[in-house]
Amino acid sequence: MEIYLVGGAVRDELLGKSVTERDWVVVGSSPEEMIAKGYQPVGKDFPVFLHPKTHEEYALARTERKTGKGYKGFHFYALPDVSLEDDLIRRDLTINAIAKNNKTGELFDPYHGQADIKQKILHHVSPAFSEDPVRILRVARFASRFHDFKVHPETNALMQQMVKSGEMDALVSERVWKELSRALLSEKPDRFFEVLKNCDALFVLFPEFKNNADLSALNNAVNLSNEGTVRFAALLSHLSQDKVKAICNRFRVPSEFAELAILVSKYHDDYHHLDVKNAEQLLHILKSIDAFRRPERFAQWMLACCAIYKNQNHELILLKALAAAKSVDINSLLEKKYVGNAFAEALYQLQLAAISQSQNPER
C-alpha cells in the first residue's frame, strides 16, 4: 500500500501557490484494508475514503471505461493491481497528472506535467480526455486561473471534436454553473469564454452570445469587484432581460446572482442617463432596485453599472439621494394619521423634497 499526493495540490506546489485542498491516491490497497485502517468510505461511484484524523479524501487507484455519453457514463475498476500510472493516465491535463510520494517526497510524472508547467501549456494526458465533456469547461476555467498558460493546439482540436460529436449535450446545468462561477472569481475570467469560443463550445452553451459576445463590462468589473455576483451581472449586461432569464434558468443560477443580473439588465440604462437634478428619477431608481431594504445589493448594482459605463460614476449621487430619502421624518405623517395610499403618497413627496434639497442645496 503506497500513498501519493495528486492533482491540484502537487501542481500548485510546483507553481509556488498556496495549497488549500489535498487529494490522495492509494495504490495497492482494497476497500476492506482501508476500512480496517479506520478510513471512512464516502464514494458512491468509486472507492473514496476519508482519513480518520485529517478527513482528507483518499481514493483507490482506478481505471475507467466509457459506457455512455456524458460524465456519468463510466465503469470504474479499483483493485490492488491498478498502478499509479494507470490511474494518472485517466486524468484531464498533464499538469494535474503528477503524483508525489507521501513518504519520500519523490515526484512521479509519467506524462511530462512538469515540462508543461515550465512551458505554461494546458495539454491533455491521453485521448481518454474526450470521454468527459466537463473537461472542456475545466480547461477553460484553468485558462482563466492560470491566464499565462496556453491551450495546446492538439487539446483544442480534441475539444472541437468533442463539441462536434455532441458530447456537450450531456452536460448538466449544475456542472456548467460550477465551472463558470469558479471562473468568474479568477484573475482573468474572460479567458474562460475565449477558450470556449476557440473550441466552438461558447455558442453551444451560450447561444445568446452569438450576435454579441461583449466581455468589456466583465473585464471592467474584475477591476472593480471581487464578487462573483457583480461580475456575472456585468457579463450579461449587454443582453435583454429575456436572454438573461433564459441563461439563469438553463444553468439554475443561484437567486442572488440571477436577481442582480436581471436588475442590471433592466435598469442599467437608467443609471446611464441619470440626471442629478431629477429627484423623481433618482427616487424611481432607489425604489426599483429596492435600495432601502437591500443596500448591499444596491451597492452591487451600482458597481455593475460602473463596469458597463466605465467613464461614469454616479455612486455618490445615488448614495446621497438614498441617505436623504432615508432621513425623512415620518412622525408628522403619523400625527396626521395618514394610512394606506395616502401615507405612501405623502412619504413619496417628502422623499422627493429631501432628495431635491440634497442634490440642489442652493434651492
Side-chain angles (χ1 to χ4, degrees):
M1 176 177 174
E2 293 183 321
I3 298 176
Y4 294 86
L5 183 66
V6 293
V10 180
R11 175 201 67 221
D12 288 351
E13 274 187 9
L14 293 171
L15 284 167
K17 297 181 179 292
S18 59
V19 175
T20 57
E21 197 172 294
R22 290 173 172 82
D23 293 311
W24 305 86
V25 160
V26 181
V27 179
S29 186
S30 65
E32 294 76 18
E33 182 181 12
M34 296 293 287
I35 293 172
K37 289 180 178 292
Y39 290 81
Q40 298 295 316
V42 294
K44 293 180 180 179
D45 298 324
F46 51 86
V48 178
F49 303 83
L50 297 182
H51 190 281
K53 292 182 179 179
T54 67
H55 302 294
E56 292 178 330
E57 288 191 357
Y58 286 67
L60 293 181
R62 70 183 188 273
T63 60
E64 302 168 359
R65 179 169 56 86
K66 183 77 167 173
T67 58
K69 274 202 169 187
Y71 71 95
K72 288 186 175 180
F74 292 94
H75 174 75
F76 298 99
Y77 178 86
L79 291 178
D81 61 337
V82 177
S83 69
L84 180 59
E85 190 169 351
D86 291 336
D87 181 274
L88 294 177
I89 199 171
R90 301 295 309 186
R91 295 176 182 266
D92 51 10
L93 299 173
T94 60
I95 66 171
N96 297 329
I98 308 169
K100 181 180 179 181
N101 189 291
N102 189 36
K103 289 184 178 179
T104 66
E106 180 183 0
L107 293 176
F108 186 72
D109 183 18
Y111 306 109
H112 314 296
Q114 293 176 89
D116 285 341
I117 286 176
K118 288 180 181 177
Q119 296 178 47
K120 300 185 183 301
I121 292 173
L122 301 174
H123 193 193
H124 63 283
V125 178
S126 75
F129 176 98
S130 65
E131 296 175 356
D132 185 354
V134 173
R135 289 177 168 179
I136 293 177
L137 298 171
R138 281 173 57 82
V139 171
R141 198 235 315 155
F142 284 131
S144 70
R145 182 184 176 194
F146 307 119
H147 52 85
D148 52 348
F149 278 58
K150 304 294 183 184
V151 178
H152 194 284
E154 292 177 357
T155 302
N156 188 65
L158 186 58
M159 293 194 299
Q160 286 178 322
Q161 291 176 15
M162 293 168 68
V163 174
K164 191 175 181 180
S165 70
E167 272 287 330
M168 298 292 288
D169 298 336
L171 282 170
V172 296
S173 57
E174 290 84 357
R175 296 303 294 266
V176 177
W177 174 249
K178 179 182 178 180
E179 299 300 330
L180 170 57
S181 60
R182 292 175 74 179
L184 286 171
L185 298 176
S186 68
E187 291 183 38
K188 293 281 289 180
D190 61 321
R191 290 218 58 214
F192 179 83
F193 302 97
E194 176 189 322
V195 169
L196 292 180
K197 186 175 182 180
N198 288 343
C199 71
D200 304 323
L202 180 61
F203 301 141
V204 174
L205 291 170
F206 300 94
E208 296 84 359
F209 287 5
K210 209 157 194 175
N211 296 322
N212 183 10
D214 185 2
L215 301 179
S216 58
L218 170 62
N219 290 333
N220 292 337
V222 171
N223 296 322
L224 294 173
S225 174
N226 292 323
E227 294 182 84
T229 48
V230 173
R231 295 180 178 190
F232 181 68
L235 167 70
L236 304 186
S237 62
H238 64 289
L239 301 176
S240 67
Q241 292 172 60
D242 288 343
K243 289 182 177 180
V244 171
K245 289 178 181 178
I247 290 173
C248 292
N249 291 335
R250 185 163 66 249
F251 298 129
R252 299 181 185 179
V253 173
S255 59
E256 61 179 309
F257 285 81
E259 289 172 5
L260 181 63
I262 292 168
L263 283 176
V264 170
S265 173
K266 188 174 182 179
Y267 294 109
H268 70 76
D269 197 54
D270 292 68
Y271 178 94
H272 180 45
H273 294 103
L274 186 146
D275 180 1
V276 66
K277 296 180 180 180
N278 189 334
E280 289 187 357
Q281 184 197 38
L282 292 172
L283 186 53
H284 168 73
I285 291 175
L286 297 179
K287 287 180 171 291
S288 298
I289 311 300
D290 202 6
F292 296 95
R293 294 189 304 170
R294 302 189 63 178
E296 289 184 4
R297 191 180 67 180
F298 181 56
Q300 293 173 331
W301 177 83
M302 288 190 291
L303 280 173
C305 290
C306 284
I308 301 166
Y309 304 108
K310 190 177 180 180
N311 297 321
Q312 287 185 319
N313 188 346
H314 297 319
E315 185 176 0
L316 291 179
I317 295 171
L318 288 166
L319 288 175
K320 194 174 181 180
L322 177 61
K326 290 174 72 174
S327 70
V328 167
D329 182 7
I330 64 170
N331 287 326
S332 60
L333 305 182
L334 296 173
E335 289 171 0
K336 293 178 181 179
K337 297 184 179 180
Y338 283 124
V339 294
N341 291 336
F343 180 89
E345 177 59 26
L347 176 60
Y348 179 76
Q349 294 301 327
L350 284 179
Q351 290 174 331
L352 278 183
I355 291 172
S356 181
Q357 177 65 25
S358 70
Q359 303 294 343
N360 308 286
E362 69 280 359
R363 286 182 141 184

